[in-house]
């Protein structure tokens, strides 16, 4: 059985050098002639020279009279001169052509008497005063814009004004995109088990547009060598660069490699980057022919880092310069020595610090890229960075958006999406939520890594939720509790509860499979507490070690039949049409840094909690009880 | 005769407040449903919730075998376990659906023996290891993007992956643009004396597109009250905002105002800004109806400052955040107390300083906006800023482009455009040229305001050009002379020289009209020198006081018949088909700050001077002699 093993993947720099050497797009380019009116954002391929002067005639620059300056020389306050219409002067408005026999304009305001047929002036006119001369704006044969200039609206105005109607610009490179894989489907209505929606090729198309190219997306091709080869040959004829989107099967990648070898030259297979390792770069008909791995994050990274420069070299559309920013890691970031690793992170501005929290690193987690604010690169031969390190950031979202958000780290609840949405609708920048469980949130507040921590943990000593956290863990911090909602926790089970589960005891006694939350999650702490109360050894429960990060993922595991039950909130069960066995109510509250109360974002947050809109949305979700949301409890009251 | 006089124009802030109060676009918006594939750059109007989980099945995350984890518990290096295909395991490739009866995957690399029908393992499989669970990436009913989010390629990928095909987005506002004025023509072939090409409406269209709107440009309407009113009523029906582009006649503005008053409400007429004062804002059918002045720079300013926020409030497309930059004024900037003034400036990075040089301030000079790098705002009630002031800059071009350019201040020659163009074609950022005449350039070098100064001035003592400047004016500066070209100076006269001019003496004796260059221009110094040698009092020459800033403008004045002759270079005469009477050769050289010689841009500049390409282009222009371009003369050799 032949398998591709990347014993010696190329380093990123070597890969880039290889591409630069093979394809010298920076040195030559295709051009096309288009209408000036359609040229916004395009790149001029040669200097644009005015064909007409603008204005194309001498014109009055003021409302008033046009005169022969020679006939005004004598005028003086002590010697007013009377001028007669048509003989000595003609009336003109701003913009009027200067009559051929006149060489100056006197402003309305400077006439000491003004009748329709005669005027009196008391000072002479200097030749060409208040005259807008031919070519004052643009002189015929003057250069309007140089070559390699990205055309702006004002350039379009100047070109039209200079008599130019058509312009030679850099031709947009046509980038062919061929999705491959028998499992690939184009629309959700074709969904069957094992099918994968063709999302990468749509993402590539949008990326090509952003880089100044024209995407040409083909229909997905099955894992059939002959069909795929035909598709590639056709695309090479029609496009300037061809992307093969590999399917998720190993066979798909093998085919792509063989096709590149058969109809062109394989440049390299495998790059020492993560995600993105299995990329294949080749050359056919002097064009780049690139096979991009199927996992969405790998696909994005390879496209962004290695395909983008190729397309931009052809389109000449420069990337918006990225600001160089850095931030402080809130957690250690461990990386392999073997790869240059791209880690997706969330960022936030907490006090003086830009804080950086790594997200999931799976190559398949598109949402880690959607939710990421930036990427941290861990170079090859680095073991990673310890917590507290300052790391450079490659920003994925505008800094303005990031810096004004409330940073929330802690327990997960659907509620956080609702609060975020209402904040945004009210014109705020919203929340940046990272789900680390209650204790993760408490520690993040303690270390100054977030503004706000959603928490839900029982004080077994008095049966009260959350308030004990302030004195127990945050004695030295300026923090308050803001009351949130009460929520019902319970067991999420399949629709109609086929296993007739009624309690945690059932799980242990009947060997049913469970799906757990991650360590530090309040729900897990509650589960452990309940097990303890019932004297059930937690590890006697099948699946106790299978961890999910959110209520929704737990519900999903139950929905897909891989677990009989999971612990979570009613809203998660409801949203997937699952059954729910209530076990108890708990308080889901927020720890806030005191200073946040005074900030604009903090005020918006509090307002949202007290709003009718919030009440409405929460009631729609179900499983929540609104008691006194937004109520502030200070440490001394705990 | 009724004239509009703006006695009390609104302040900019009052104008903005008035607009904000009248049109509350920030609080409501129109939406439309479009295909996710077409949604790049659009703004979501509500949160997007996943309809399908992704992946939609449990899948192998590695190539290898799928197993029942329970059947592997015994495996150990000392107790290898043999598994049989189809009974204990099934072969799987990455991405394959996990068979229903299996709950874990063992990697190919971890099999100690692997035959097609049986394998041997030496360690147990943990349940769900190497399995990509349903919803690992996107969980059905999870929020993919919130509302008011600008859609990026990765968002498109995630939405498609989550089973979303259509999305509700903010509808692009339709902005109607009605050019008006009887003198307005649409294409250069309609040009007659007094006609004006309709460039503003095309500039507005491009601006609307940039702000996230859909421009709808109508055909120009003559200065006819009824026609204009009909056009406005039609546009108000079809658009969300209507722009009336005023013609250059005063009547056009009067019509617009009356129409606004007749069919809607006049909000204000006149703003205390310069350029841009005569803008008229009104409201009709609850929509903004705005009359924009006809001068291109005024038009741009009013559109950028007051119309842009309205369109962006409707489109919800945020502006790219502008970097806050400042720079040092090289010249005093005098402004009127009455207006907030927008002054176009050129910028450059010279040594440690960002230097700022004001450009022409005429409202009609589109090229001052095309060539500007930034705008300096001089607030109302400010008299301006002295030279050396640090002023805030509103950037119009990317800083990367500006900071890498060679800053040239000094004498003007067409050559400078050629050098710039060749530098750009060779991948450099090129030249930023400001024309201030030779002496202006020398002073700019002295004050450290430019890298390079093109100069041409004779030392009357020894008949040698330029080299004396180093010791005479730049004794304390580290500078060199770089030799440029020899050029022929002479009189530019009309085609076929109808006045039979042969010398400067003809001008004085026969009272012919002349057009001069600005003070400090080498050409003017040469003219004065020649007059002196011939004992002609300069001011006896008619038109001596009429000043132009470039050779091209001089040629243009001759071409348009407003002057019989002007002094300039042969290339300018040739480019307009004029006759030329040579008077003498002169050296057009460059003063360079010594440090520039070592910079990359400086090296490119020198290489261009010595290149074949340069020689070719210069010879094509004509009137130049290439002797030793690029030769460096140090101060000690002068």
């Amino acid at each position: 059985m032949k398998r591709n093993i990347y014993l010696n993947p190329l380093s990123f720099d070597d890969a880039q050098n290889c591409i630069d050497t093979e394809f010298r797009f920076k040195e030559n380019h295709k051009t096309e002639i288009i209408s000036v009116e359609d040229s916004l954002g395009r790149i001029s391929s040669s200097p644009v020279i005015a064909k007409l002067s603008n204005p194309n005639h001498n014109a009055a620059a003021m409302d008033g009279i046009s005169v022969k300056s020679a006939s005004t020389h004598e005028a003086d306050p002590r010697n007013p001169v009377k001028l007669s219409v048509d003989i000595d002067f003609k009336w003109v408005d701003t913009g009027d052509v200067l009559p051929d026999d006149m060489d100056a304009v006197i402003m309305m305001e400077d006439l000491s008497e003004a009748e329709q047929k005669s005027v009196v002036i008391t000072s002479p006119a200097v030749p060409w005063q208040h005259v807008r001369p031919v070519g004052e704006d643009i002189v015929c044969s003057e250069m309007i814009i140089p070559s390699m200039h990205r055309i702006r609206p004002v350039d379009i105005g100047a070109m039209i004004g200079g008599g130019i109607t058509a312009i030679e610009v850099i031709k947009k490179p046509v980038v062919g995109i061929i999705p491959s894989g028998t499992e690939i489907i184009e629309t959700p209505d074709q969904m069957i088990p094992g099918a994968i929606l063709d999302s990468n090729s749509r993402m590539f198309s949008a990326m090509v547009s952003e880089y100044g190219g024209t995407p040409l997306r083909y229909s997905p091709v099955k894992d059939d060598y002959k069909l795929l080869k035909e598709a590639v040959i056709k695309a090479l004829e029609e496009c300037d660069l061809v992307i093969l989107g590999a399917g998720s099967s190993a066979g798909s990648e093998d085919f792509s490699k063989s096709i590149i070898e058969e109809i062109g030259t394989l440049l390299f297979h495998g790059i020492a980057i993560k995600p993105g390792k299995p990329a294949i770069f080749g050359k056919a008909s002097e064009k780049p022919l690139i096979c991009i791995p199927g996992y969405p994050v790998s696909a994005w990274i390879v496209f962004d880092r290695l395909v983008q420069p190729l397309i931009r070299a052809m389109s000449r559309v420069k990337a918006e310069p990225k600001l160089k920013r850095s931030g402080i890691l809130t957690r250690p970031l461990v990386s392999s020595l073997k790869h240059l690793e791209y880690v997706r992170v969330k960022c936030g501005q907490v006090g003086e610090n830009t804080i950086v929290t790594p997200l999931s690193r799976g190559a398949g987690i598109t949402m880690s890229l959607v939710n990421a604010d930036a990427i941290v690169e861990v170079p090859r031969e680095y073991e990673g960075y310890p917590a507290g390190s300052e790391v450079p950031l490659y920003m994925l979202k505008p800094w303005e958006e990031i810096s004004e958000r409330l940073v929330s780290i802690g327990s997960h609840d659907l509620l956080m999406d609702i609060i975020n949405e209402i904040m945004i609708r009210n014109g705020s920048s919203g929340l940046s939520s990272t789900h680390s469980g209650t204790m993760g949130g408490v520690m993040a507040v303690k270390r100054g890594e977030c503004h706000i921590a959603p928490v839900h943990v029982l004080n077994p000593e008095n049966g009260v939720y959350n308030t004990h956290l302030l004195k127990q863990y945050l004695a030295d911090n300026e923090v308050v509790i803001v009351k949130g909602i009460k929520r019902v926790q319970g067991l999420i089970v399949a629709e109609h509860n086929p296993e007739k589960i009624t309690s945690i005891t059932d799980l242990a006694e009947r060997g049913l499979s469970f799906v757990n939350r991650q360590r530090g999650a309040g729900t897990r702490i509650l589960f452990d507490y309940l097990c303890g109360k019932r004297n059930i050894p937690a590890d006697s429960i099948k699946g106790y070690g299978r961890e999910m990060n959110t209520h929704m993922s737990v519900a999903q595991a139950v929905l897909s039949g891989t677990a009989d039950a999971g612990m979570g909130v009613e809203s998660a069960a409801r949203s997937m049409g699952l059954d729910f066995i209530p076990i108890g109510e708990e308080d889901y509250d927020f720890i806030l840094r005191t200073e946040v109360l005074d900030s604009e974002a903090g005020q918006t947050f509090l307002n949202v909690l007290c709003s009718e809109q919030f009440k409405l949305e929460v009631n729609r979700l179900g499983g929540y009880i609104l008691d006194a949301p937004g109520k502030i409890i200070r440490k001394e009251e705990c």
Side-chain angles (χ1 to χ4, degrees), chain A residues 281-449:
Chain A
F281 276 69
K283 185 177 183 176
S285 315
E286 293 301 305
K287 295 170 183 177
L289 173 54
I290 303 165
C291 174
I292 305 229
Y295 268 160
V297 183
S298 310
W300 188 91
I301 293 278
V302 172
F303 214 89
D304 182 73
R305 294 308 161 102
L306 291 165
V307 182
Q308 173 171 198
L310 272 173
I311 298 177
R312 290 199 187 272
M314 285 192 261
S315 72
R316 304 289 173 117
V317 173
K318 286 189 191 148
E320 286 289 327
K322 297 233 178 210
L323 288 182
K324 288 194 179 94
R325 293 208 167 263
S326 62
I328 308 290
L329 272 180
T330 59
R331 307 180 194 168
L333 212 171
V334 180
S335 177
S336 135
L337 295 172
K338 284 193 280 181
H339 309 109
L340 161 61
E341 187 168 3
Y342 301 100
V343 181
R344 280 82 73 203
V345 298
K346 283 223 132 189
C347 304
Q349 191 63 33
V350 183
E352 298 288 289
N353 291 333
T354 299
I355 57 99
V356 177
T357 303
L359 288 166
S360 160
R361 288 153 87 173
I365 318 289
T366 317
M367 289 308 290
S368 71
L369 202 50
V370 171
N371 290 329
D373 297 321
I375 284 177
V376 171
E377 284 189 18
V378 187
R380 208 177 174 186
E381 285 162 19
Y382 267 54
E383 284 186 319
Y385 300 108
S389 306
E390 181 158 6
V391 289
L393 299 169
Y394 175 81
M395 301 309 298
L396 299 178
K397 290 183 183 163
W399 179 246
E400 291 62 33
E401 195 178 298
I402 294 165
S403 62
E404 288 165 15
R405 286 183 318 204
L406 276 188
V407 178
S408 163
I409 300 182
S411 168
H412 171 258
D413 193 284
L414 292 181
L415 211 54
M416 299 306 284
D417 281 349
I418 291 178
I419 296 174
N420 178 48
E421 176 60 26
I422 304 178
M423 285 179 77
I424 289 174
R425 263 188 270 156
N426 290 340
S428 152
S429 287
L431 287 174
S432 157
S433 290
T434 306
H435 310 138
S436 69
T438 289
M439 289 316 295
V442 172
M443 290 304 128
V445 169
K446 191 176 179 69
R447 290 190 300 255
E449 292 166 1

Side-chain angles (χ1 to χ4, degrees), chain A residues 100-356:
Chain A
D100 272 344
D101 50 349
M102 304 296 175
D103 70 350
V105 168
I106 300 175
M107 284 163 71
M108 202 63 196
E109 292 87 326
D110 291 341
L111 302 177
S112 58
E113 285 171 37
E115 303 292 325
Q116 192 57 45
K117 304 217 158 174
S118 70
V119 299
V120 174
I121 57 169
T122 54
S123 58
V126 177
W128 306 107
Q129 79 175 23
H130 303 317
V131 171
R132 192 175 182 217
V134 175
E136 184 199 54
D137 184 359
I138 300 168
V139 177
C140 167
S141 83
E142 173 182 14
M143 183 181 76
I144 299 178
I145 54 168
S147 60
M148 300 305 149
H149 177 77
R150 182 165 195 173
I151 294 161
R152 302 164 301 165
V154 69
D155 302 320
I156 292 179
M159 286 190 278
I160 300 273
I164 313 290
T165 50
I167 176 177
E168 188 178 17
V169 294
I170 304 286
K171 192 169 178 300
K172 291 186 174 198
V174 178
V175 177
I177 300 161
I178 309 172
S180 81
T182 306
E183 73 285 9
I184 296 295
I185 54 170
E186 287 204 89
T187 53
D189 54 338
Q190 301 168 324
M191 183 55 76
I192 51 163
I196 298 273
L197 274 158
D198 176 25
S199 56
N200 282 357
S201 75
R202 272 79 169 237
M203 178 174 77
F204 295 153
S205 289
M207 292 172 98
V208 168
S209 299
E210 279 204 334
Y211 307 155
T214 300
L216 179 51
R217 197 176 70 88
Y218 295 93
S219 295
V221 180
K222 290 196 190 316
D223 289 320
D224 174 307
Y225 190 86
K226 195 163 155 281
L227 287 180
L228 197 58
K229 189 176 125 187
E230 280 167 13
V232 169
I233 290 172
K234 179 162 181 277
L236 281 168
E237 279 164 15
E238 295 175 346
C239 308
D240 298 303
L241 184 157
V242 176
I243 300 293
L244 254 169
S248 50
S249 79
S252 158
E253 203 175 300
D254 289 342
F255 280 161
S256 304
K257 188 178 169 189
S258 304
I259 289 169
I260 294 174
E261 285 172 329
E262 188 187 333
I263 64 175
T265 316
L266 178 74
L267 299 178
F268 54 86
H269 181 190
I271 314 168
I273 60 173
K274 190 180 170 185
K277 195 171 67 169
I280 311 174
F281 276 69
K283 185 177 183 176
S285 315
E286 293 301 305
K287 295 170 183 177
L289 173 54
I290 303 165
C291 174
I292 305 229
Y295 268 160
V297 183
S298 310
W300 188 91
I301 293 278
V302 172
F303 214 89
D304 182 73
R305 294 308 161 102
L306 291 165
V307 182
Q308 173 171 198
L310 272 173
I311 298 177
R312 290 199 187 272
M314 285 192 261
S315 72
R316 304 289 173 117
V317 173
K318 286 189 191 148
E320 286 289 327
K322 297 233 178 210
L323 288 182
K324 288 194 179 94
R325 293 208 167 263
S326 62
I328 308 290
L329 272 180
T330 59
R331 307 180 194 168
L333 212 171
V334 180
S335 177
S336 135
L337 295 172
K338 284 193 280 181
H339 309 109
L340 161 61
E341 187 168 3
Y342 301 100
V343 181
R344 280 82 73 203
V345 298
K346 283 223 132 189
C347 304
Q349 191 63 33
V350 183
E352 298 288 289
N353 291 333
T354 299
I355 57 99
V356 177

Side-chain angles (χ1 to χ4, degrees), chain A residues 75-94:
Chain A
D76 187 275
R78 279 158 303 177
N79 179 33
V81 170
K82 188 169 179 173
L83 302 175
S84 304
V85 77
D86 293 339
I87 300 159
D88 303 311
F89 79 91
K90 284 178 183 137
W91 288 104
V92 285
D93 283 334
T94 304

